[in-house]
Structures are given as structure tokens and as C-alpha cells.
Amino acid sequence: MMQERVLKLLSRLGEVEASLGDPKILSDQKEFKKLSQEHAYISDLKELWEKREICLKNQADNRELLKQEQDAEFSALLEEEVLQTDNELKELDSKIDQLLVPPDPNDHCNTIIELRAGTGGDEAALFVGDCVRMYRLYSDAMGWKCEALSYNEAEVGGYKEYIMVMTGKNVHRCMQYEGGTHRVQRVPATESQGRVHTSAITVATLLEPEQVDIHINEKDLRIDTYRSSGAGGQHVNTTDSAVRITHLPSGIVSYCQQEKSQHKNKDKAMRLLKAKILEHEEQKLKAERSSAREAQVGSGDRSERIRTYNFPQNRLTDHRINLTLYSLDKIINGELAEVSNALIAHYHQKKIEQGS
């Protein structure tokens, strides 16, 4: 099934390349951009498929040699290479499965991630800090860029709230399913009896709208300035540089106090406000079209527990797709690709089954 789908897509490559050389296409920026993205997509798929073909050939050759080899030491080396190639093939198949999910217009859109401490007090704030670090490391591994829009530090460390924007290739494709309640089970540093505590944080993912996506009437905004402050009185600013913007018709509020410049804080608060208003409008549309729970997937709905991080067992469980991995130590250090790929494939299959 995979081979049939891949070969069908690869057969388009020559046609796309020919179209990109057509003068008519070159003069049509919209069509040229669309074909360029398709060309990049198919080229990535071709590269992975060729690597897979080489791996399969090496695997077959090594297995054939194993049948004939009498030397125990050389046989052990061949078996080790077979195992290594098996792992490479699994990784390649996972990447190909992800690429076989058709591109979406929003795949490369800037994505705002909001993390907030929930139940668990100090431990929840510390876990927000851990997840911020996890997402930043994942971002680095994927070649994305991360920018803090706003944050509120906790006195014990970590954050009560942290909002950042991530930009790069396939950033929304990979991050859109992070929205929901993330539960952590571990022994806090302050726990003298060694008891495992359960805490939770909430995560929301928002598309950052482009200028053309949303228009806000200045008359609908109330902009307040105040002095910024940090945990324990740190980073206190002596000028009114912090900015809070309220969208009066919807009641949506955003703020920023990280920059020393009031102008920069206002720009960042406005970016966040636009993303929140866009999400608010989309949620209204979804509610009108359907009351189905599935409509909330990927929207940043915070009432649903989506994932558990169990540190004593080194286990991560994503409850939506019944995925359990005993590699939490690697995942918390930014190796999120296996989780993201599984979610992308799962929700694509859901769409196929629902005929959408």
C-alpha cells in the first residue's frame, strides 16, 4: 500500500518540473508558489524512498551472507548490522508515513504555543518550564525558530505561564496536536518521603494570522500600560513599559511585559491578540457546524487530558491514540518526532474514515 502511494506521487515529479519551467507559470506567482511547494514535497519523499531502497538492498545482502557465513565473529557483526538496518528502516518508514499525509495550507504557518500551570502548584510551574525546554529543543532539532511572546515566572522556578511563537517548515503540521491537558507524575524535589505527585499543565496551539487574515478596528481596543514585574520582585521595570490589550467586543485579553520597550511589548501583545481572536472566530464556526467532540481536536481545548508523563517508569502515554513509549528521558529532551508523526498519521486516517 505504501509503495503504491509513493510511486504514484513520484510519477508527478517530472510533470511538476516541466510546469515550473513554463513561462506562463513563472509569471503567475500564486501557481508558481504552489508548484514549488509540491516539488519540494515530492523531492523530500523521493530522497527518503531512495534511502529506504538502499537499506532494503543492504538488508537482503546481509541476510544472504548470514546464511552462508561460517565464521562466528563475522556472523555476529552481520547480525549487528542487520539489527541496525532494521532500526533505520523503521525510522524511514515513520518519516515516509508522515510525508504521505497530504500537505495542508497551514502546515508551515507560524504557531503560537501557550503553556499554563494547572493543578499541582509549584510542581506544575516547574513542569511548564520543562515543557518549554522540551519544545525549544524539538524546535532546534527541526530547524525551527522560537520566540518568547510573554511569560510569567514562578518564584520556585519554571513559569506560571509561557507563550511563544514557533516558525519554520511544517511547524504547525507537527505542533497542532499539542493542545490539551498534559499530566505529569513524578517525585518533586521538595518531597522528603519519595512519594509520587500528580500535577497538570494546559497547552493551547494557535495559528498566528497573517496581515490579510484578520482586521481589528482600533476603536474596539483598550490598551493599558503598567510597570512590569517578575518572580520575587526580579526584573522590575521603573517605567510603564508593560502592555495589556483588551478586545472589547469579545473580551479577549493579551499582554506582554518582557521587552524594555513599550512599543515592542505592544507589537507582541497584538500578535497574540490576533491569534486569539482568529481562534475564537474559528471555534464559533465549528460550534455552529457541529457539536461533535472531534471538532475540538488540535484547537487547544484545555479540558481534555491528552498525555501523561510518568517519570518513575520513564513512560509517556498519549491517551488519544493509545501510544505508550518508554523513552520519556529522550522525549523530554526534545525527541518528540515519533509522537508527532504518530498523531499526524492518526488524525489523517480519521479524516479519511469520516470522508473529509
Side-chain angles (χ1 to χ4, degrees):
M1 183 66 179
M2 176 195 281
Q3 182 172 357
E4 183 182 334
R5 292 170 67 194
V6 170
L7 294 179
K8 184 178 179 182
L9 284 164
L10 293 183
S11 68
R12 273 275 299 160
L13 190 58
E15 185 183 336
V16 173
E17 286 176 343
S19 297
L20 284 170
D22 187 332
K24 290 181 181 178
I25 299 296
L26 290 170
S27 62
D28 185 340
Q29 286 190 353
K30 188 176 179 181
E31 188 63 22
F32 182 77
K33 183 181 177 182
K34 179 184 172 185
L35 285 169
S36 295
Q37 288 176 342
E38 185 180 1
H39 183 268
Y41 165 68
I42 299 174
S43 296
D44 287 347
L45 184 61
K46 182 185 178 186
E47 183 182 347
L48 287 173
W49 190 252
E50 287 174 348
K51 284 181 181 177
R52 185 179 186 274
E53 294 288 285
I54 292 168
C55 269
L56 285 172
K57 186 179 184 307
N58 290 341
Q59 190 76 306
D61 291 344
N62 287 332
R63 289 188 190 280
E64 190 60 35
L65 281 171
L66 264 174
K67 291 178 185 177
Q68 304 166 12
E69 188 54 51
Q70 301 297 318
D71 182 77
E73 188 176 342
F74 189 59
S75 291
L77 286 172
L78 283 172
E79 285 173 359
E80 187 178 335
E81 195 166 330
V82 165
L83 183 62
Q84 186 178 337
T85 309
D86 275 342
N87 291 332
E88 286 178 23
L89 280 168
K90 285 177 184 176
E91 189 176 338
L92 285 167
D93 283 348
S94 175
K95 289 179 178 178
I96 290 168
D97 276 338
Q98 183 189 355
L99 271 180
L100 286 175
V101 175
D104 184 272
N106 291 329
D107 279 349
H108 310 306
C109 289
N110 295 0
T111 303
I112 292 173
I113 311 295
E114 289 185 326
L115 302 96
R116 288 190 173 84
T119 55
D122 292 345
E123 177 62 15
L126 290 169
F127 190 56
V128 169
D130 292 338
C131 287
V132 167
R133 179 177 173 274
M134 175 180 72
Y135 287 144
R136 282 189 168 275
L137 289 170
Y138 182 41
S139 175
D140 290 344
M142 297 295 285
W144 303 332
K145 180 184 174 185
C146 259
E147 178 190 359
L149 289 183
S150 177
Y151 55 84
N152 185 1
E153 293 173 304
E155 292 184 11
V156 295
Y159 303 94
K160 295 176 183 176
E161 174 187 83
Y162 195 100
I163 304 171
M164 58 185 168
V165 60
M166 303 171 80
T167 60
K169 182 180 179 182
N170 284 323
V171 65
H172 187 68
R173 182 183 179 92
C174 295
M175 292 300 297
Q176 63 182 311
Y177 301 115
E178 290 301 303
T181 297
H182 295 236
R183 185 176 67 171
V184 58
Q185 296 171 328
R186 63 182 176 187
V187 180
T190 54
E191 173 56 64
S192 57
Q193 303 298 318
R195 291 173 297 190
V196 174
H197 285 223
T198 299
S199 307
I201 71 168
T202 58
V203 177
T205 60
L206 311 170
L207 275 174
E208 181 176 20
E210 295 181 8
Q211 289 296 106
V212 293
D213 286 338
I214 189 164
H215 174 72
I216 298 175
N217 192 327
E218 290 284 336
K219 294 178 181 178
D220 290 337
L221 300 178
R222 186 179 72 235
I223 300 175
D224 301 307
T225 58
Y226 57 98
R227 291 186 182 181
S228 60
S229 61
Q234 297 172 15
H235 315 302
V236 174
N237 202 322
T238 56
T239 61
D240 293 342
S241 61
V243 175
R244 179 173 54 246
I245 305 176
T246 305
H247 183 244
L248 299 173
S250 64
I252 293 170
V253 178
S254 70
Y255 69 91
C256 183
Q257 62 175 17
Q258 271 59 61
E259 303 291 342
K260 292 181 181 179
S261 159
Q262 186 183 111
H263 178 71
K264 288 182 179 178
N265 280 331
K266 182 181 175 184
D267 284 347
K268 286 189 173 183
M270 185 61 76
R271 288 172 69 183
L272 179 57
L273 183 74
K274 286 181 177 179
K276 287 185 173 184
I277 290 172
L278 181 64
E279 186 204 29
H280 177 70
E281 293 301 318
E282 287 177 349
Q283 289 289 17
K284 278 172 62 179
L285 282 173
K286 283 180 182 178
E288 288 167 7
R289 291 172 185 163
S290 170
S291 59
R293 187 70 187 87
E294 192 67 16
Q296 298 298 317
V297 169
S299 68
D301 175 30
R302 300 170 193 175
S303 63
E304 180 186 17
R305 185 192 70 188
I306 65 164
R307 197 174 292 161
T308 296
Y309 303 71
N310 186 299
F311 280 81
Q313 297 177 17
N314 196 33
R315 169 173 58 83
L316 178 138
T317 301
D318 196 293
H319 304 288
R320 296 164 294 179
I321 56 175
N322 296 319
L323 173 70
T324 296
L325 300 171
Y326 289 90
S327 53
L328 179 55
D329 54 338
K330 294 179 179 178
I331 293 166
I332 206 70
N333 279 305
E335 297 185 25
L336 262 173
E338 186 174 355
V339 181
S340 296
N341 292 348
L343 286 163
I344 291 166
H346 171 82
Y347 284 111
H348 174 59
Q349 187 59 38
K350 279 272 188 184
K351 287 178 182 176
I352 292 173
E353 290 170 3
Q354 292 170 359
S356 59

